[in-house]
Amino acid sequence: MNTLKQYWNDVYREFGFHPDRESWLVRYMDDLSQPEGIIVDLGCGLGNNALYLLDHGLPVVACDVAEEALKQLQAYKPDLVTQCFDMRNGLPFDNRSAKVVIVDLSLHYFDEPTTFDILAELHRVLREDGLLVGRVNAIQDMPNKQDIQAAVERHFYEHEGIYRRFFDRQDITHFLNAVKWSLEVVEEHDLVRYGSRKVLWEFAARKRS
Ligand SMILES: C[S@@+](CC[C@H](N)C(=O)[O-])C[C@H]1O[C@@H](n2cnc3c(N)ncnc32)[C@H](O)[C@@H]1O
């Protein structure tokens, strides 16, 4: 049984459609509007980023493991291209086919080897000067110690049935290491999301050949 898939389908079934258009991608418009290559929104959920890009005339492939999210998104925006797959099994895109891949709050659910495997796939599908942009949980956003199981790896915890990593700066540079990636943005942000405070890291990493 794929518990992660089931967890997210249940979340989207319970909460219904409530996309929240965000503008954090505006600073990446130069890359997003390059003529060559696709834009992949990986772990798109209800399409906050995909819908923002479509509003700006930028076609995007919205991908998620949760068919429930994609069903709701397609009902709202039938012309949006979606793909349902589990990123742990690889990405169904050709080598060097993407100009930008977005991983917004979708890359912090995996143990270290799996995270490196996914990043290797992202590296494969990005074109030579392609950009990976994302946001991940910050360590400051960790739930109270009493609500959380002991770490199974550095900064990686089980909470309410799923695993999550809470990154510090060192974790970002560990995963997006300088051999494969050139880090152009690493910033910690404090924002309000769905009515509660959230601390996260935003990053932009350019593929090195
Ligand atoms: C916190 S939500 C973020 C959704 C959206 N990116 C946003 O920022 O609003 C995490 C998303 O990652 C997706 N996800 C988690 N694990 C995944 C996997 N293994 N493969 C594909 N998508 C996954 C979930 O289904 C969920 O939609």
Side-chain angles (χ1 to χ4, degrees):
M1 164 112 44
N2 187 337
T3 51
L4 202 142
K5 184 183 181 80
Q6 189 184 354
Y7 173 91
W8 284 105
N9 273 327
D10 289 348
V11 166
Y12 292 119
R13 224 170 267 124
E14 187 177 339
F15 290 107
F17 194 66
H18 58 274
D20 171 15
R21 301 284 217 285
E22 291 201 33
S23 61
W24 71 285
L25 292 174
V26 70
R27 68 194 293 185
Y28 305 111
M29 274 302 165
D30 279 356
D31 284 280
L32 289 161
S33 47
Q34 289 294 312
E36 296 297 322
I38 58 170
I39 302 172
V40 178
D41 182 4
L42 186 59
C44 64
L46 297 176
N48 295 337
N49 299 303
L51 294 173
Y52 172 83
L53 293 171
L54 270 197
D55 285 351
H56 287 78
L58 294 165
V60 52
V61 188
C63 311
D64 207 285
V65 71
E67 56 270 297
E68 185 59 33
L70 298 180
K71 201 171 77 187
Q72 294 184 28
L73 195 46
Q74 284 244 280
Y76 178 78
K77 198 81 179 172
D79 54 338
L80 178 65
V81 177
T82 62
Q83 286 213 35
C84 190
F85 60 86
D86 187 330
M87 67 176 100
R88 292 173 295 186
N89 301 331
L91 269 59
F93 302 112
D94 291 341
N95 295 352
R96 296 182 290 282
S97 56
K99 55 184 166 185
V100 178
V101 178
I102 300 159
V103 279
D104 190 13
L105 302 174
S106 56
L107 196 63
H108 47 220
Y109 299 108
F110 313 106
D111 63 21
E112 182 176 35
T114 308
T115 307
F116 274 120
D117 285 350
I118 293 168
L119 284 167
E121 271 293 277
L122 300 181
H123 195 273
R124 178 186 68 76
V125 305
L126 278 168
R127 65 182 213 186
E128 287 316 323
D129 56 349
L131 194 66
L132 173 65
V133 297
R135 305 193 295 185
V136 287
N137 291 325
I139 191 81
Q140 286 84 343
D141 210 36
M142 219 173 89
N144 292 332
K145 284 270 191 312
Q146 65 267 25
D147 299 334
I148 211 162
Q149 303 296 315
V152 291
E153 274 177 13
R154 176 186 149 87
H155 296 167
F156 189 57
Y157 303 87
E158 196 233 308
H159 182 233
E160 296 174 344
I162 63 166
Y163 290 90
R164 289 185 176 84
R165 185 178 305 283
F166 294 88
F167 287 69
D168 65 8
R169 184 179 286 274
Q170 196 187 323
D171 295 323
I172 304 271
T173 52
H174 173 66
F175 285 106
L176 294 167
N177 61 65
V179 178
K180 292 194 149 190
W181 303 98
S182 165
L183 266 171
E184 296 185 355
V185 174
V186 187
E187 291 172 4
E188 199 175 32
H189 293 292
D190 194 328
L191 47 90
V192 174
R193 203 170 149 95
Y194 303 133
S196 18
R197 176 174 180 249
K198 181 150 191 72
V199 189
L200 47 74
W201 286 97
E202 176 178 332
F203 61 80
R206 199 167 294 282
K207 172 176 169 167
R208 282 190 206 273
S209 307

